[in-house]
């Protein structure tokens, strides 16, 4: 909910509290009592919609976190293998391009993580032949690509 919507919801809650406090007065007038019941129903419907929206947001956040964890697992394995390969081959440029810590990857924005992951994926494809001894296979490269896509669309 926006701030304006939250303010209105708070106002509705205050009115509802006032009506509940003065129920003896409101129940003595039949038309007014019916309007109060309808008002309470509307406030309840607003609260239910708000709860649904919060649950939907929570579900999206959970799905995004799970996709990020899946990506991170695959990405860290590939990145570590690439870095070890670069060190073994004394390839300074590749070492510099794969020098990204796990904590940095966990704390950057979604778009930046996707960019880092895409760079690692492209490097893995480029050096695929030499990486088989480091546990990076064509299947794991394809899996990384799928996990990047899954993360982007989560």
């Amino acid at each position: 909910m926006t701030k304006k919507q939250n303010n209105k919801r708070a106002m509705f809650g205050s009115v509802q509290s006032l009506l509940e406090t003065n129920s003896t007065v409101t129940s003595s007038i039949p038309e007014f009592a019916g309007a109060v019941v309808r008002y309470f129903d509307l406030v309840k419907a607003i609260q239910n919609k708000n709860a649904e929206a919060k649950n939907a947001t929570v579900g999206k956040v959970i799905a995004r976190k799970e996709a990020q964890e899946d990506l991170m697992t695959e990405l860290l394995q590939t990145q570590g293998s690439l870095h070890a390969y670069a060190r073994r081959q004394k390839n300074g440029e590749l070492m510099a391009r794969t020098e990204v810590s796990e904590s940095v990857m966990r704390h950057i924005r979604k778009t930046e993580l996707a960019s880092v992951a895409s760079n690692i994926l492209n490097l893995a494809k480029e050096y695929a032949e030499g990486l088989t001894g480091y546990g990076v296979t064509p299947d794991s490269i394809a899996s990384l690509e799928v996990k990047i896509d899954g993360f982007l669309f989560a």
Side-chain angles (χ1 to χ4, degrees):
M1 290 186 122
T2 65
K3 184 173 182 161
K4 187 176 180 181
Q5 290 170 331
N6 274 330
N7 289 343
K8 283 184 178 182
R9 191 173 55 84
M11 179 195 63
F12 293 154
S14 297
V15 170
Q16 183 176 7
S17 173
L18 178 70
L19 290 171
E20 287 171 347
T21 303
N22 295 309
S23 63
T24 55
V25 175
T26 59
S27 63
S28 64
I29 305 168
E31 282 298 315
F32 196 62
V36 168
V37 169
R38 288 190 301 277
Y39 178 79
F40 285 173
D41 291 342
L42 288 172
V43 170
K44 185 68 175 169
I46 291 170
Q47 290 170 342
N48 290 341
K49 285 291 182 187
N50 187 33
E52 286 176 24
K54 282 184 181 178
N55 289 340
T57 302
V58 168
K60 289 178 186 176
V61 170
I62 290 170
R64 187 179 310 129
K65 282 288 186 193
E66 288 173 353
Q68 181 178 358
E69 283 304 313
D70 289 346
L71 173 61
M72 289 297 294
T73 301
E74 194 81 30
L75 182 61
L76 289 171
Q77 291 172 355
T78 305
Q79 181 263 344
S81 296
L82 267 166
H83 195 72
Y85 173 78
R87 194 176 283 276
R88 180 74 144 179
Q89 298 298 315
K90 296 183 179 13
N91 185 336
E93 180 187 347
L94 182 58
M95 281 178 30
R97 291 174 71 187
T98 58
E99 187 72 42
V100 183
S101 71
E102 178 180 355
S103 65
V104 167
M105 284 192 267
R106 290 199 182 276
H107 292 95
I108 58 178
R109 291 184 173 160
K110 177 182 177 180
T111 54
E112 293 170 341
L113 178 58
S115 176
V116 168
S118 293
N119 290 339
I120 297 293
L121 175 66
N122 291 335
L123 290 170
K125 287 178 179 179
E126 185 178 336
Y127 294 96
E129 288 181 20
L131 292 173
T132 54
Y134 293 86
V136 178
T137 64
D139 289 341
S140 65
I141 292 172
S143 175
L144 177 60
E145 193 165 13
V146 167
K147 297 220 171 140
I148 290 171
D149 291 340
F151 174 69
L152 286 173
F153 295 112

